[in-house]
Amino acid sequence: MNYDWIKTRAQFDDDDKAAVIDPLKGTEWTYKELNIRAENLANHLQDQGIGRGDVVGIFAPNDVSVIDLLFASFKIGAIYFPMNWRLKPTEIESVIKDSGVKKIFYANKHLSSLQGIADDYLYMDIDSPAYDALVNPEHHKPFKAADVNGDETAALMYTSGTTGVPKGVEFTYESFVSNAINAILTYKVNDEFTTIVSLPMFHVFGFNDLTVPLLMSGGSLVLHRYFEGVQLNDLMAKYKPNYLTLIPTMYYAMLVEPNFDVKNFENVDYLIQGGSAPLLGVQKKFASMGLNIINGYGLTEAPLSLVNTPDNSLKKPMSIGKPVMFVETRLFDEDFNETPVGEIGELAIKGKHVTPGYWNKPEATAKTFHDGYFLTGDLARIDEDGDIFIVDRKKELIITGGENVLPSEVEHVLASHPLVAQCVVVGYDSEKFGEDVAAAVLLTENDPDFKEKLDEHMTANLARYKVPKIYLKVTKMPLTATSKPDKLEIKKMINAKNTK
């Protein structure tokens, strides 16, 4: 089958309509130009020996070249591989080795992260005149797209390594396209829509769930090269998007900047957040302005899977809602029995958008599926209305002295104290209990007695074994490569503090 959908999109769209807008570079590209760029690049890659099933990587921020490579790869039948430029050198090295990548396009700003690690694979700077000349739509070398099977690997994305070593997640042509269709139907995206992509395009949230559905629908995509709150507020004022997808900390970063203006949201139908736990204070602030932030849920292995609704988010702001179209969910106990209403189980997902497995890891793949359902590792509960609530990561459950502690429960209570701007709860090594509870806290103000005040608050609201034994004050919360709280790093910091 031919999955060259950008060519079809180009045939049906106005020659003058901007498909991709890059405010930083001052460039705009129509759908017809996007297709020509991709065909020029596909011809070039093929001339360089890249063929069906070969992995081609890109190590760059949000740029039109990321889109060029996706479409060129689909035309060739090559495997598109957007690389996470926020990873640490050891992680980058393991990802390159595991992927079998043949060539890497890169942004010069991030070249230092690759030198000495990927020298044999470095190919071309995406910001160079050579790249611009290569894809320039003023000249066109047509390309006949390869016929591929829907179950062939189309793309490869690596997990963020939040709880361990990054793993390569495979997307088939069918799963990649199915996810885009699910998103289009869920958010009712059409060719009149405009959105801004501030999320990194190496991640499924910013790419599979936002960029690809928008382009498949024929809308206009505004590139935000690197997220920054002031800049995004300015882009909101200029482009007035129809919907926005961010992680909770990004909404917070916009809100606290002096150029935040609620009038910039006048065209917005959906404000979506995901990727980490909601910030209830931020949701309440937006709600007070008549703007409802809704929770979406997905992960690298199963992108957009559940979404709340604007109305329901007012009643149940912490819920991730219900499954989107063509997606099924279950909550399993340890024996794979479905858990009843109100009880906690592991969230499992089935759908054509779900990964077929991990690259070169058949054993890990087999452990992650049960009866066709992908086991997310997230603990959740379902209420009598069918709404689902994430409770915690299964791997992050703290077992102290034989008692189970859900970090999310502790975080919820801790975050309600006025001194706490942000908090992350983890387990740390304890000789007496095996594991004990600790919290990293970002304070709203400098208070020398913050530990005593937080401890008093927590003791009044939680069982003693759930109360953190250590409070680690941070001035900046450690983040992973995908801007989630880096719990592994926080745990290391707390264990180091505990041994002093």
Side-chain angles (χ1 to χ4, degrees), residues 89-212:
T90 55
E91 294 173 313
I92 294 171
E93 187 173 11
S94 75
V95 161
I96 288 173
K97 183 178 178 180
D98 185 68
S99 68
V101 65
K102 300 290 185 183
K103 293 186 184 300
I104 299 174
F105 290 81
Y106 60 90
N108 192 60
K109 179 176 180 178
H110 300 294
L111 183 59
S112 60
S113 298
L114 293 170
Q115 288 177 327
I117 295 173
D119 293 344
D120 294 338
Y121 310 98
L122 295 177
Y123 186 63
M124 188 178 290
D125 178 3
I126 55 97
D127 295 314
S128 67
Y131 181 82
D132 290 339
L134 173 64
V135 297
N136 190 342
E138 291 183 7
H139 66 84
H140 182 202
K141 186 178 179 182
F143 187 90
K144 180 175 171 52
D147 283 330
V148 295
N149 298 318
D151 60 358
E152 287 184 49
T153 302
L156 190 61
M157 292 189 179
Y158 278 74
T159 59
S160 60
T162 307
T163 57
V165 177
K167 296 190 290 291
V169 177
E170 295 182 61
F171 292 95
T172 64
Y173 287 93
E174 183 176 45
S175 66
F176 201 92
V177 170
S178 292
N179 183 78
I181 292 171
N182 289 357
I184 291 167
L185 294 174
T186 299
Y187 302 127
K188 304 172 186 175
V189 185
N190 60 56
D191 61 355
E192 295 182 356
F193 270 41
T194 295
T195 193
I196 303 166
V197 57
S198 290
L199 291 161
M201 289 166 65
F202 58 69
H203 191 263
V204 295
F205 197 24
F207 199 69
N208 301 47
D209 290 350
L210 180 65
T211 299
V212 174

Side-chain angles (χ1 to χ4, degrees), residues 39-84:
E39 294 202 342
N40 290 343
L41 182 56
N43 274 297
H44 175 80
L45 288 171
Q46 194 171 70
D47 291 344
Q48 300 303 308
I50 298 297
R52 185 169 169 178
D54 287 334
V55 180
V56 187
I58 186 162
F59 197 82
N62 293 354
D63 185 84
V64 68
S65 59
V66 178
I67 298 165
D68 293 337
L69 189 63
L70 170 76
F71 292 146
S73 298
F74 269 45
K75 290 175 184 291
I76 296 171
I79 299 173
Y80 165 74
F81 174 31
M83 301 175 65
N84 184 340

Side-chain angles (χ1 to χ4, degrees), residues 88 101 122 131 166 234 276 343 363 366 441 471 474:
K88 297 172 183 176
V101 65
L122 295 177
Y131 181 82
D234 286 341
S276 63
E343 292 193 13
E363 292 183 4
V441 292
Y471 295 98
V474 296

Side-chain angles (χ1 to χ4, degrees), residues 176-309:
F176 201 92
V177 170
S178 292
N179 183 78
I181 292 171
N182 289 357
I184 291 167
L185 294 174
T186 299
Y187 302 127
K188 304 172 186 175
V189 185
N190 60 56
D191 61 355
E192 295 182 356
F193 270 41
T194 295
T195 193
I196 303 166
V197 57
S198 290
L199 291 161
M201 289 166 65
F202 58 69
H203 191 263
V204 295
F205 197 24
F207 199 69
N208 301 47
D209 290 350
L210 180 65
T211 299
V212 174
L214 189 282
L215 293 176
M216 192 177 283
S217 300
S220 295
L221 179 76
V222 180
L223 300 173
H224 188 188
R225 197 169 180 88
Y226 299 101
F227 171 77
E228 198 274 329
V230 170
Q231 291 176 2
L232 183 52
N233 284 336
D234 286 341
L235 292 175
M236 291 288 294
K238 183 174 182 179
Y239 294 102
K240 296 290 198 306
N242 300 87
Y243 71 129
L244 201 62
T245 298
L246 301 170
I247 61 173
T249 53
M250 288 178 168
Y251 283 111
Y252 174 79
M254 294 173 69
L255 190 62
V256 298
E257 295 296 349
N259 66 337
F260 178 86
D261 189 343
V262 69
K263 289 185 291 187
N264 296 340
F265 295 78
E266 61 188 13
N267 291 339
V268 168
D269 294 317
Y270 289 99
L271 290 176
I272 306 136
Q273 67 181 1
S276 63
L279 299 175
L280 195 55
V282 174
Q283 280 183 272
K284 288 180 178 178
K285 181 63 177 177
F286 271 86
S288 71
M289 297 182 287
L291 299 168
N292 298 338
I293 302 177
I294 64 173
N295 301 321
Y297 175 88
L299 59 169
T300 308
E301 296 89 339
L304 181 66
S305 295
L306 299 98
V307 174
N308 205 348
T309 64

